[in-house]
Amino acid sequence: MIAGERSINYQINPDVVLREEDADGALLFNPDTNDVKVLNNTGLYIWKCCQQKQNQEKIILSLKQEFEQVPKDQVEQEVGSFLQGLELAGFLVKSE
Amino acid sequence: MKSSQGYSFKNTPKSVSISITGACNLRCKYCFYNNEMEQLRDLKTDQWLVFFKTLAELSVMDVSLTGGEVFTRKDLFELIDGVIANRMRYNLLSNGTLVDAQVIERLSQGKRRQRLDYIQISIDGASAAVHNLSRPDSFDGALRGLKLLLKHHFPVAVRVTINKHNLQDLDKIAAMLLDELALPAFGCNEAMPIGSGCRSDQEVSLSQQEKLEAMRIMKRLAQRYPGRITASAGPLAKVKMYDEMERARAGEEIQLGWQMGYLSACGCIYQKIDILQDGSIVPCCMLPELKLGNILSDSLLDIWQNHPTLDALRNRRSVPMAEVKGCQTCEWNEVCNGSCPGMAHQLTGDFNRANPEDCIRLFLKENGIERIQDAI
């Protein structure tokens, strides 16, 4: 990961719906595109961080604390690609 | 979280079907509306708009706006905008006769087209002479509306309700819809003796012999137009269901979308709920008598999660067919799923019975055949 990328801010697309369907997880639904993204519990945790307007760096820090057993490099890499994927699918919007 | 044999119960409904009006400009012979339904008063615009906010709070993904005839409501587009503002998609069920250039123009505005999954139009014949027998005075208008929607590239779903009048017209209907109009597909079901269909039963409902003929025709058409004719009920659905039952009874291992030997036919109640035009909350439009509450006075979430009638419907899947009244001694009960609980309730007064309309034993007996696959 490039150091500068850590400060990327993402805003959730206000049209996107979060459905916490059952104990197994949740899904995101974009009614404009009909796209659905299934979230596991980690994905749901990250989405809720985004709802609280946390930037990428803060989300990574938060996850490292929450999931201590996961290697730090792996957390950074996976959070970055997860957020990029959500942005590409229109669930998140990158903001300055 | 509650679950029942493979069907996962969701915390909130995913989809809601809303009859926004009981008014209709047609009087179709098999309409499931009956006198009581026609007398319910429509909710006002503001009441629906408040309800749409509730649906957003429950993260409902899509609504089906139905009736009656949806285009008779002057505030339809205001209601659609309310659906859109509350982050949902929608579809419209219509007879198509009121779709004109102005409707096309208004449906094209803002996000109305983007959020529209489809408009369903009913076509029951390839000519006015056939179509109008079950849907009086409506063929020209329905076809005009359908063509207008297609011309402007709206997503359209056509539904053909197979009945006594159009049985011998099905080839022509398929050719008109799939060849002439080049629709990607159409869906079909069967006229059922409920609601107005009870009053016109002898006129529209298929006899057991006609059901067999309809299965023959639809099987042939499905082979002629692969993947372009769909059915979740009616003759074409029964071609598949009865085939699975016969193969399973012969000892073949087959993958099914339902639990063999249990009342497991319906999965709707795990993700969907229906609202009538007066705000009544019902499990399904096929069960309009089972009022669970009203959106004006009751919590939809509480009803969805805790109502004993919904619990009973969801637990239906754990009822073995061998314990179902009328089915205990049936030689087919180990491979049967009891079919639609709504029809079962309508025809027997108990949703924990099997739907007699789809009974394979009765079907075989009345047609004097031993194997359906040999007969179709």
Side-chain angles (χ1 to χ4, degrees), chain A residues 15-16 18 20-21 31-32, chain B residues 11-12 59 87 89 111 115:
Chain A
D15 280 330
V16 168
L18 169 66
E20 296 188 64
E21 293 214 302
D32 283 340
Chain B
N11 289 331
T12 63
S59 302
R87 306 186 301 169
R89 295 182 69 80
K111 287 190 174 183
R115 292 280 183 91

Side-chain angles (χ1 to χ4, degrees), chain B residues 124-160:
Chain B
D124 279 2
S127 66
V130 175
H131 175 99
N132 289 349
L133 289 172
S134 54
R135 305 180 67 82
D137 303 322
S138 65
F139 180 74
D140 292 342
L143 197 60
R144 187 175 56 243
L146 173 60
K147 286 181 175 176
L148 206 50
L149 289 164
L150 290 172
K151 180 183 171 189
H152 291 86
H153 308 293
F154 277 89
V156 176
V158 167
R159 168 66 59 87
V160 176

Side-chain angles (χ1 to χ4, degrees), chain B residues 38-193:
Chain B
E38 287 166 358
Q39 286 163 11
L40 301 179
R41 296 185 69 176
D42 293 359
L43 293 191
K44 295 174 183 170
T45 312
D46 289 350
Q47 292 170 313
W48 285 125
L49 294 178
V50 168
F51 178 61
F52 295 158
K53 287 183 183 171
T54 301
L55 297 185
E57 289 163 8
L58 300 183
S59 302
V60 169
M61 294 166 68
D62 54 83
V63 296
S64 183
L65 301 181
T66 177
E69 168 52 44
V70 289
F71 287 105
T72 62
R73 270 200 81 125
K74 303 294 182 199
D75 60 355
L76 175 63
F77 293 98
E78 196 176 341
L79 296 181
I80 289 172
D81 290 344
V83 169
I84 291 167
N86 285 288
R87 306 186 301 169
M88 293 178 282
R89 295 182 69 80
Y90 72 103
N91 61 70
L92 300 172
L93 306 192
S94 167
N95 59 45
T97 59
L98 301 177
V99 175
D100 58 15
Q102 190 186 22
V103 165
I104 295 290
E105 195 271 329
R106 297 183 77 184
L107 268 177
S108 303
Q109 293 172 5
K111 287 190 174 183
R112 290 171 186 168
R113 179 195 287 258
Q114 185 180 13
R115 292 280 183 91
L116 174 65
D117 283 321
Y118 59 87
I119 302 180
Q120 180 182 290
I121 306 290
S122 293
I123 297 288
D124 279 2
S127 66
V130 175
H131 175 99
N132 289 349
L133 289 172
S134 54
R135 305 180 67 82
D137 303 322
S138 65
F139 180 74
D140 292 342
L143 197 60
R144 187 175 56 243
L146 173 60
K147 286 181 175 176
L148 206 50
L149 289 164
L150 290 172
K151 180 183 171 189
H152 291 86
H153 308 293
F154 277 89
V156 176
V158 167
R159 168 66 59 87
V160 176
T161 300
I162 300 172
N163 64 80
K164 219 178 255 299
H165 300 301
N166 65 11
L167 185 57
Q168 300 306 328
D169 203 43
L170 293 171
D171 283 83
K172 289 179 186 170
I173 295 171
M176 179 182 81
L177 296 175
L178 301 179
D179 296 332
E180 188 184 327
L181 296 177
L183 285 169
F186 73 86
C188 62
N189 60 0
E190 178 185 338
M192 284 292 145

Side-chain angles (χ1 to χ4, degrees), chain A residues 35-61:
Chain A
D35 286 337
V36 169
K37 168 85 175 171
V38 177
L39 300 179
N40 60 18
N41 286 328
T42 310
L44 178 60
Y45 183 90
I46 294 172
W47 182 261
K48 288 187 171 176
C49 289
C50 293
Q51 284 181 317
Q52 293 162 13
K53 301 188 176 172
Q54 293 182 19
N55 65 21
Q56 187 169 336
E57 184 176 13
K58 201 166 177 187
I59 292 171
I60 289 168
L61 282 172

Side-chain angles (χ1 to χ4, degrees), chain B residues 273 281 292-293 298-307 310:
Chain B
I273 199 162
I281 302 168
L292 311 173
D298 300 298
S299 158
L300 179 61
L301 180 61
D302 185 42
I303 285 172
W304 175 259
Q305 294 189 340
N306 302 310
H307 200 286
L310 284 182

